[in-house]
Amino acid sequence: MRTRATVEHPGGRVETDPRRRTPRTDTVLADERLRKASYRLGDDLVKQAVRTALDRCRAGELAPDDVTDAVLDSLPRAATRLRRVINATGVIVHTNLGRAPLSSAAVDALELAAGSTDVELDLATGRRGRRGRSALAALQATVPEAGGVHVVNNGAAALALVTCALAARGRSVVVARGELVEIGDGFRIPELLESVGAVLREVGTTNRVRLSDYEAALAGDPDGTAFVLKVHPSNFVVTGFTSSVPVERLATLGVPLVVDIGSGLLHPHPRLPDEPSAAATLRAGADLVTASGDKLLGGPQCGLLLGRADLVDRLRRHPFARALRVDKLTLAALEATLLGPASPVAAALSSSPDRLEARARRLADQLADVGIVPPPEAVTSIAAVGGGGAPGVELPSAALALPPDLAVRLRTDPDVPVVGRIEHGRLLLDLIAVPEADEPDLVAAVRRAAR
Ligand SMILES: *Cc1c(COP(=O)(O)O)cnc(C)c1O
């Protein structure tokens, strides 16, 4: 990097004060390439980038002649300050990194849906069509056990809609004490249910609940019970002296059974034996299943409702459903996730540990010359599914181990931030959720961080 560039002035004096040589904002903005960038990104982002570059120039960190190139380099690819991040945490579904990354099929669908589409128009008849019918059809075809399906904004919205439609005006929801879950960021399922007017009837204890507990609660309030709710403890595990009642038995109680499976797995996954799937839960007798679309399904943020056709229809027609309606982008991305090739989440879940280790070794070789001590090393690691589901499941993975002081520099990389995790005093860049196509960017970021 050039610092404090000096030039000869006609008078023969050497000008070393960078302030005097800093170009004017207008002059920089008049550059044809920056005018084009303004057209694409809007004036604000470009002006902001110019101001930042000129500040660096004044500070002597950037030569005046390099200002325009520096501005162009620093401009985002799209008009958003959101940054693309490489998820090297080893947590496949990372809430703070936007949960599921979308498949390229879903991204293509988003682009198509961004314009005007027939999302709610039947082109053959010219009449209004059922909104999102092709996405809903794809969901139903994937889970034929469901008599009806509906999609809302997220898992919490799915649960809120069920409660509003079936249990408002003081009717009660029977739920086990051990399933009164806090999802994250302070959101608690019991508070959500109560906020839409349901009365909670808690049964059992923190660690144990029996069918007879549910039966006693229902006998005490046979008409006022709207449904029994079973919530999958998706972000914690209770071990030891525990018992809960399986779906098969709850389904015999004579009131609707709603199961919040959380993760959005539609079919059982061999690597996640304890994670409930929508299909298996419906087969076991649940009347309705609620789930998120952006956890293990690997789709866009949305809430899935699957189950008895008459109940789904009631939900769909409830006035509150409109407030939870998903947009055309979500419907398009969901459909493409269902119909397209394996999502990145699905690919990460089934990645082979040997392959991950080979990738880690290759990256360590490529980076052997960066001159950090100790040098980058390929190590085995244990990855996790994430807050999105399957707590306690350990996925064999591999990582690039680096000195811990690189963590902040990688996370604040100006080009592509890389987020890893610190373990036993080392920074691990776990590869399970890093697409192979991102490896060149990862290598480049480590080189920058090591400088
Ligand atoms: C994640 C989760 C939710 C909330 O879903 P969102 O899509 O985050 O609104 C509800 N219940 C369970 C069991 C969950 O795991």
Side-chain angles (χ1 to χ4, degrees), residues 95 99 153-159 179 181-184 187 189 192 230-235 260-264 275 290-295 301-304 387-389:
T95 302
R99 285 200 187 155
N153 264 320
N154 55 23
L159 212 48
E179 297 173 5
V181 176
E182 176 168 320
I183 306 165
F187 285 102
I189 287 180
L192 180 118
K230 184 173 175 65
V231 181
H232 176 57
S234 58
N235 52 8
D260 174 10
I261 61 167
S263 82
E275 200 58 27
T290 69
S292 299
D294 55 346
K295 294 178 178 173
Q301 180 193 302
C302 61
L304 310 177

Side-chain angles (χ1 to χ4, degrees), residues 391-428:
V393 169
E394 299 188 338
L395 300 167
S397 179
L400 191 67
L402 298 169
D405 49 308
L406 293 191
V408 175
R409 271 184 264 164
L410 278 166
R411 199 182 67 228
T412 54
D413 185 89
D415 203 10
V416 188
V418 179
V419 183
R421 72 173 189 274
I422 301 285
E423 203 171 280
H424 303 307
R426 292 202 289 187
L427 170 65
L428 297 191

Side-chain angles (χ1 to χ4, degrees), residues 105-449:
V107 174
D108 289 346
L110 283 177
E111 196 172 331
L112 184 150
S116 299
T117 67
D118 62 344
V119 64
E120 212 175 303
L121 179 70
D122 182 341
L123 292 170
T125 63
R127 296 218 181 87
R128 169 195 283 250
R130 172 144 183 223
R131 185 178 173 84
R133 60 203 172 282
S134 57
L136 297 170
L139 181 56
Q140 194 148 14
T142 312
V143 188
E145 290 84 352
V149 298
H150 185 57
V151 182
V152 291
N153 264 320
N154 55 23
L159 212 48
L161 182 57
V162 173
T163 311
C164 251
L166 308 183
R169 284 187 284 276
R171 298 193 73 209
S172 62
V173 174
V174 176
V175 61
R177 285 208 168 78
E179 297 173 5
L180 298 172
V181 176
E182 176 168 320
I183 306 165
D185 198 22
F187 285 102
R188 296 176 166 169
I189 287 180
E191 290 173 1
L192 180 118
L193 301 178
E194 285 174 330
S195 74
V196 290
V199 174
L200 282 193
R201 302 199 57 193
E202 303 170 16
V203 296
T205 60
T206 307
N207 55 330
R208 288 176 76 86
V209 63
R210 300 182 185 82
L211 190 66
S212 56
D213 294 318
Y214 289 93
E215 283 166 347
L218 291 177
D221 186 13
D223 300 326
T225 303
F227 59 90
V228 168
L229 175 66
K230 184 173 175 65
V231 181
H232 176 57
S234 58
N235 52 8
F236 66 101
V237 200
V238 182
T239 55
F241 187 53
T242 63
S243 71
S244 64
V245 186
V247 172
E248 286 82 352
R249 303 196 63 200
L250 292 178
T252 64
L253 286 167
V255 290
L257 172 63
V258 178
V259 183
D260 174 10
I261 61 167
S263 82
L265 208 58
L266 298 182
H267 295 281
H269 193 289
R271 273 185 146 178
L272 309 172
D274 297 329
E275 200 58 27
S277 71
T281 305
L282 289 171
R283 273 201 301 278
D287 296 287
L288 278 176
V289 165
T290 69
S292 299
D294 55 346
K295 294 178 178 173
L296 293 179
L297 177 59
Q301 180 193 302
C302 61
L304 310 177
L305 285 150
L306 308 101
R308 256 170 56 191
D310 61 320
L311 292 179
V312 172
D313 228 41
R314 256 172 86 183
L315 305 181
R316 204 161 57 80
R317 293 177 194 284
H318 191 276
F320 196 43
R322 176 64 182 230
L324 309 174
R325 187 173 94 160
V326 285
D327 77 339
K328 58 185 179 177
L329 301 178
T330 304
L331 290 165
L334 174 63
E335 182 176 356
T337 303
L338 292 165
L339 298 180
S343 69
V345 169
L349 271 178
S350 56
S351 49
S352 122
D354 289 346
R355 177 98 200 99
L356 292 169
E357 279 175 47
R359 287 175 58 194
R361 277 197 302 273
R362 197 175 62 205
L363 291 179
D365 286 348
Q366 283 176 37
L367 288 162
D369 63 341
V370 289
I372 48 181
V373 186
E377 188 193 351
V379 297
T380 58
S381 93
I382 299 292
V385 170
V393 169
E394 299 188 338
L395 300 167
S397 179
L400 191 67
L402 298 169
D405 49 308
L406 293 191
V408 175
R409 271 184 264 164
L410 278 166
R411 199 182 67 228
T412 54
D413 185 89
D415 203 10
V416 188
V418 179
V419 183
R421 72 173 189 274
I422 301 285
E423 203 171 280
H424 303 307
R426 292 202 289 187
L427 170 65
L428 297 191
L429 300 184
D430 194 309
L431 298 179
I432 199 163
V434 178
E436 262 184 86
D438 284 354
E439 283 181 7
D441 286 337
L442 183 84
V443 168
V446 173
R447 288 194 179 282
R448 281 189 293 275

